[in-house]
Amino acid sequence: MIPVTGMTDRQVAVLGLGRSGLSAARALQAGGAHPVCWDDNPAARATAEAEGFSCRDLTEGGAFDEVAALIVSPGIPHLYPTPNPVVAAALRAGVPVDNDIGLFFRSFATGDWDNFDTAPRVIAVTGSNGKSTTAALIHHILTDVGRPAQLAGNIGRGVLDIDPAIDGEVVVLELSSYQTELARSLTPDIAVFTNLSPDHLDRHAGIGGYFAAKRRLFAEGGPDRAIVGVDEIEGQFLAGQLSEGAADDRVIRVSVSQKLDGPGWQVFARKGFLAEYRKGRQAGSIDLRQITGLPGAHNHQNACAAYAACRALGLAPRVIEQALRSYPGLPHRSQIIAVAEGVTYVNDSKATNVDSAAKALSAFSRIRWICGGLEKEGGLAQLNAASDAVAKAYVIGREAANFAMQLDVETEICTTMAEAVARAMADAEPGDTVLLAPAAASFDQYDNFEQRGEDFTAEVRARLAG
């Protein structure tokens, strides 16, 4: 646990008592603060009270009279589309609003670090797609080479649940826009921006607000090194804002759509080959095509970003390459779950938006595509542009018929995962890939994307076993 500093003997309100909220309450208490908790869910309040925390309705008049700060869980809106009533009350009372990420950055460093040979470092990864894989890949490389490392944030453990840092340790954080938009302290040593595509637009009042939430990771604390994907205009703009000129190697530009040149520091992948250039000279190269845990151009982008982060830490190219080859991949992210009778079965349930699904479609040939769910804003036109390899789509979800009508490929309305898997497996031929890449949220049929991916995996394995 990371005890929160600077709040000793002060009342701190905590809104939302899920994983991050309870973790924040514990860390505040460990640092000498007095947490006052609230959640609209009585069961969540009961859980907190069972741990000894005080719960109080923070919507009542005067609830913030003696409160030093309000800590808000990531899923609770503080501005758009409308602020949560508790957040609105705190703002009216002039009470600072923060989250567990802000508490972490203000509390992570301790006096013990004065005795370390190598100060601990923090690498923070954000972006629309690929941030989980990039963060996990960085952590895997560090662990593989024997560097002490912890993985936390939007993946793995909560940021305040990790262990206090030891000499030379690296903490790798995956941070969503919900986490970066509110944190009052954001001071990573290395910050990574993978890419940007429309997502969570209602929460951020449009693409501009969404990009602004991501940009805060770079603008608030000023990382020593910034690794920026420049395949979209937003990434190009961000890199330009952070750089003092073309030769400024504090910014490492990353691409999978173009060869990057110039006097600066670049890492890019073309036709499956990663290349690193610095000061106009090639400094490293890796053939990514045979790394089974990183299929497709979107994963090559993740590899480039992770490679750049590890190079910024001083790791040698060949050491990084060796670690990449042992990377097993993450569950629900281009995860190969079976190969049988020449057919490959891939679980990419994390492809919850159009952009991530389009990237998954580009990673395989002759696809039996299981898609559908709770459709997000923006339509499916990008999917149609990326569907050349799709032999047939098997559409699930409560609005399967409407989803199917927007696709330019042969479709079959299946509604349920069981029916979609059965039909795709019946049609599949040797050389085909049965791919779950929904391009939609899971909440019409599942609690989360993990549950959806587990259902797909269970259906495939049961039918192969039967």
Side-chain angles (χ1 to χ4, degrees), residues 19-34:
R19 185 187 74 162
S20 66
L22 281 176
S23 172
R26 297 181 192 115
L28 284 161
Q29 189 173 67
H34 305 295

Side-chain angles (χ1 to χ4, degrees), residues 88 107 145 155 157 274-275 349 392 419-420 464:
S107 306
V145 303
I155 187 175
R157 303 161 73 182
L274 179 153
S349 184
K392 187 175 179 181
E419 179 66 14
L464 289 177

Side-chain angles (χ1 to χ4, degrees), residues 230-412:
V230 294
D231 287 337
E232 296 89 28
I233 188 61
E234 292 87 357
Q236 296 166 26
F237 178 80
L238 178 61
Q241 282 202 312
L242 297 172
S243 174
E244 292 295 330
D248 187 354
D249 67 2
R250 294 174 303 169
V251 178
I252 306 176
R253 290 170 170 82
V254 168
S255 176
V256 289
S257 68
Q258 58 188 309
K259 178 180 179 180
L260 301 176
D261 53 24
W265 197 349
Q266 297 100 13
V267 179
F268 59 90
R270 298 186 71 197
K271 298 181 179 180
F273 288 87
L274 179 153
E276 175 193 3
Y277 278 78
R278 193 172 187 183
K279 297 180 180 178
R281 296 183 178 181
Q282 186 166 351
S285 64
I286 299 173
D287 184 352
L288 301 171
R289 294 173 301 173
Q290 302 305 314
I291 300 178
T292 57
L294 296 168
H298 61 304
N299 274 309
H300 294 171
Q301 182 181 58
N302 301 333
C304 287
Y307 174 95
C310 291
R311 289 288 286 138
L313 289 173
L315 274 63
R318 292 303 167 214
V319 170
I320 299 172
E321 178 180 4
Q322 182 177 352
L324 287 175
R325 297 195 180 283
S326 63
Y327 177 65
L330 279 177
H332 315 296
R333 298 162 177 86
S334 295
Q335 177 192 15
I336 298 175
I337 59 170
V339 179
E341 298 181 0
V343 179
T344 302
Y345 298 88
V346 179
N347 168 21
D348 202 343
S349 184
K350 186 61 170 64
T352 58
N353 59 43
V354 167
D355 183 67
S356 55
K359 289 175 178 175
L361 292 177
S362 70
F364 305 96
S365 58
R366 193 162 175 81
I367 298 167
R368 302 287 172 179
W369 177 29
I370 298 176
C371 58
L374 189 61
E375 187 179 340
K376 296 185 177 181
E377 296 180 14
L380 307 180
Q382 186 179 350
L383 287 176
N384 291 323
S387 62
D388 290 348
V390 175
K392 187 175 179 181
Y394 307 81
V395 188
I396 63 173
R398 295 177 185 173
E399 302 297 328
N402 181 63
F403 197 99
M405 287 177 61
Q406 300 179 65
L407 300 178
D408 289 343
V409 298
E410 181 183 353
T411 61
E412 183 170 341

Side-chain angles (χ1 to χ4, degrees), residues 12 18 21 49 72 77 86 92 105 121 150 154 216-217 232 251-252 276 286 288 313 320 335 344 387 421 462:
V12 180
E49 288 170 340
V72 180
V86 173
R92 287 193 299 269
F105 277 110
R121 309 286 293 278
Q150 298 185 72
N154 207 40
R216 290 191 76 246
L217 180 63
E232 296 89 28
V251 178
I252 306 176
E276 175 193 3
I286 299 173
L288 301 171
L313 289 173
I320 299 172
Q335 177 192 15
T344 302
S387 62
V421 170

Side-chain angles (χ1 to χ4, degrees), residues 88-105:
L91 295 174
R92 287 193 299 269
V95 172
V97 180
D98 204 348
N99 61 14
D100 60 333
I101 305 302
L103 295 180
F104 167 82
F105 277 110

